[in-house]
Amino acid sequence: MVVAAGLGLRLRAELGERTPRKAYVTLAERPLVVWSTWALARVEGVDEVVVVVHPDDLEELERSQLGAALRASGATAFVAGGARRQDSVRNGIQACRAGAERFVLVHDAARPLLDPSDAKRALEAAREVGAALLALPVRDTVKRGDDVACVTETVPRDGLWLAQTPQIGRRDALLAALDAADAAGVEVTDEAAALERAGQRVRLVRGCADNFKVTTAPDLARARERVALGGVLLPPLPSGPIAKLSAQLRNTPPMGTRVDFGAEDSAVGELRTKLRGLPATATPLAATVGAPAPATPPPAFPRTGIGTDLHRLVAGRPLILGGVEVPSEKGLAGHSDADALTHAVIDGLLGAAGLGDIGEHFPDTDPAYAGADSMALLRAARLAVEEAGFRVGYVDAIVHAERPKLKPHKAAMRERLSDTLGVHPSCVNLKAKTGERVGPVGRGEAIAATAVVTLLPR
């Protein structure tokens, strides 16, 4: 869970009364809570992300651009916080799925630069001993002072650590520890303290200095300087194309699995109507969806990304490749329309722009993308790439399929892909290969696709 229910009074006092709640203060045009949600959702093993917000914000959040950005970043539920941190954490735990062996990672919204690999190491440690947290060993000499700020003691720093988040424990054990602290009238400063009181062993896992908490204006400046240095994967913008698509899909009835572009009264037709306002050719994104310019300009040279995808063939599904329905006895199994070719192209697009991968933006755990038209996902990915300062230069893709024969359909696929990418059909090349009866593709059990995408600076 991401805890974002605090007021951030100290930051507001430094930045001015018109400053929003701390979780909504922006870093590279994205609110801190979006950064923290994005990081936590990319931790291997995390299958849901509950965001705990101030009670006054809950009702409006689902309908807002911020809510769409949080959903696009991986949030699965929003719940109201309480008067104290431990009350907010309890509400968040109760919103998480139950299970004796399910672990909860509690992360501060004000720690936007969490490295998911660090959180993964902490989760592994928690599975070993029952609980864990990220922390940093104290390096400086520690002094204890009196009421008038005079030194009373030099504290040995051996064995001292500075706590970070996420702090991790078994769901039921953490809930019981918070209840026990309440019953004893104890206000704990973090979740590890509650677990310690309950007799739980808590493992310290060395974190990263970048995972600092934004509490003051200098902290915020430090975070902005860190992002400006580069090498940080940016989450979706609240007003960006992927967040907008996520919001559109949530307000659209379930699509089913067939892609029927001629039925304007179908759910797919409704989505197509909503997306018609998005440009079919590469135009400045700020002029189309009102998104701000990227925080830092991309390098002035081409970039290349590689995308792959594979889906099982099953009965009872249409076979969609490159946005074209191919006659076949079997189709591809998947959360969306399972268009493996288009998914590979999306992955290549995002990779070339340094925007992560398709699973981070369109997770198969999100019901909004159930049966989704992959052409709509491709269009949103293309606009995100344009927002990052690039345009599509060339796509070279291979579809690996034992059957059916794809040669008669390649021209239609090129047409659909090039139209959605906003390029001439000559800028999209498709090849079809068999598996030579080797492996799942060769046995006719699956279809795979690979795409190499070249992006050019805009």
Side-chain angles (χ1 to χ4, degrees):
M1 83 178 69
V2 176
V3 184
L7 297 175
L9 296 179
R10 183 171 177 181
L11 189 62
R12 180 177 293 175
E14 295 180 5
L15 296 180
E17 287 300 314
R18 300 184 66 179
T19 302
R21 302 189 206 283
K22 182 166 63 175
Y24 309 146
V25 171
T26 58
L27 173 63
E29 309 293 343
R30 287 101 169 146
L32 297 181
V33 65
V34 170
W35 283 89
S36 301
T37 301
W38 173 248
L40 205 59
R42 290 185 292 122
V43 177
E44 185 177 333
V46 169
D47 59 8
E48 61 177 333
V49 180
V50 174
V51 180
V52 185
V53 299
H54 193 279
D56 293 347
D57 302 332
L58 183 61
E59 183 177 350
E60 181 63 26
L61 189 60
E62 280 283 13
R63 300 190 297 271
S64 69
Q65 286 186 340
L66 174 58
L70 285 167
R71 291 288 190 183
S73 299
T76 56
F78 304 129
V79 298
R84 303 169 301 170
R85 179 187 176 89
Q86 62 205 69
D87 301 323
S88 296
V89 171
R90 179 186 292 102
N91 292 353
I93 293 173
Q94 291 171 339
C96 294
R97 292 203 298 273
E101 291 303 313
R102 286 185 65 79
F103 285 83
V104 176
L105 295 80
V106 183
H107 186 52
D108 293 333
R111 295 183 187 270
L113 300 180
L114 169 69
D115 186 332
S117 65
D118 290 339
K120 179 188 175 184
R121 290 189 297 106
L123 178 57
E124 291 169 349
R127 286 175 172 150
E128 289 178 8
V129 302
L133 75 155
L134 288 178
L136 289 176
V138 173
R139 293 180 176 177
D140 297 329
T141 299
V142 179
K143 304 288 186 180
R144 191 187 306 278
D146 60 17
D147 293 342
V148 291
C150 288
V151 174
T152 62
E153 180 188 5
T154 298
V155 181
R157 66 188 177 202
D158 294 343
L160 293 182
W161 293 70
L162 300 174
Q164 298 182 326
T165 65
Q167 303 195 0
I168 308 169
R170 287 187 175 87
R171 178 190 184 277
D172 295 349
L174 186 51
L175 196 57
L178 292 172
D179 289 341
D182 270 352
V186 175
E187 185 166 343
V188 293
T189 57
D190 64 5
E191 294 68 53
L195 290 165
E196 294 159 26
R197 284 191 74 260
Q200 172 64 57
R201 196 171 172 214
V202 182
R203 174 73 57 80
L204 292 161
V205 177
R206 186 166 187 149
C208 174
D210 282 347
N211 187 27
F212 60 89
K213 188 174 183 179
V214 175
T215 302
T216 65
D219 294 334
L220 183 60
R222 177 185 172 190
R224 288 171 173 165
E225 289 171 2
R226 175 64 189 86
V227 172
L229 288 174
V232 178
L233 184 62
L234 301 179
L237 280 164
S239 58
I242 292 176
K244 290 170 72 72
L245 175 62
S246 177
Q248 290 167 340
L249 288 172
R250 285 175 205 291
N251 294 319
T252 302
M255 295 183 183
T257 56
R258 288 191 65 84
V259 180
D260 182 1
F261 292 98
E264 291 301 325
D265 58 342
S266 68
V268 174
E270 291 178 25
L271 177 60
R272 183 184 182 199
T273 300
K274 291 177 181 178
L275 294 176
R276 275 182 180 145
L278 300 178
T281 58
T283 56
L285 189 61
T288 59
V289 296
T296 54
F301 52 80
R303 288 187 179 181
T304 301
I306 300 174
T308 63
D309 198 30
L310 181 146
H311 287 271
R312 291 182 299 107
L313 283 162
V314 295
R317 294 264 298 187
L319 176 58
I320 310 295
L321 290 170
V324 174
E325 183 167 347
V326 178
S328 174
E329 295 178 355
K330 295 182 178 180
L332 295 175
H335 185 62
S336 63
D337 62 8
D339 185 338
L341 172 56
T342 302
H343 292 180
V345 174
I346 292 172
D347 232 14
L349 275 174
L350 296 172
L355 297 177
D357 61 50
I358 186 171
E360 295 169 359
H361 296 281
F362 310 113
D364 59 9
T365 56
D366 191 335
Y369 300 115
D373 171 14
S374 292
M375 286 290 114
L377 307 187
L378 177 61
R379 184 169 301 209
R382 185 202 98 198
L383 292 176
V385 164
E386 291 177 0
E387 183 178 80
F390 297 97
R391 61 184 174 87
V392 178
Y394 194 79
V395 175
D396 187 26
I398 305 173
V399 179
H400 303 270
E402 198 70 15
R403 55 184 179 273
K405 295 295 183 183
L406 300 180
K407 184 176 180 180
H409 310 286
K410 286 168 58 178
M413 294 177 194
R414 289 179 66 195
E415 189 70 30
R416 288 301 317 280
L417 289 169
S418 62
D419 179 64
T420 305
L421 291 169
V423 298
H424 191 272
S426 64
C427 294
V428 177
N429 185 61
L430 295 181
K431 294 169 282 191
K433 306 287 185 181
T434 69
E436 296 292 341
R437 301 183 181 179
V438 176
V441 171
R443 294 192 296 269
E445 299 170 358
I447 289 178
T450 303
V452 177
V453 179
T454 300
L455 298 182
L456 305 175
R458 295 189 64 192

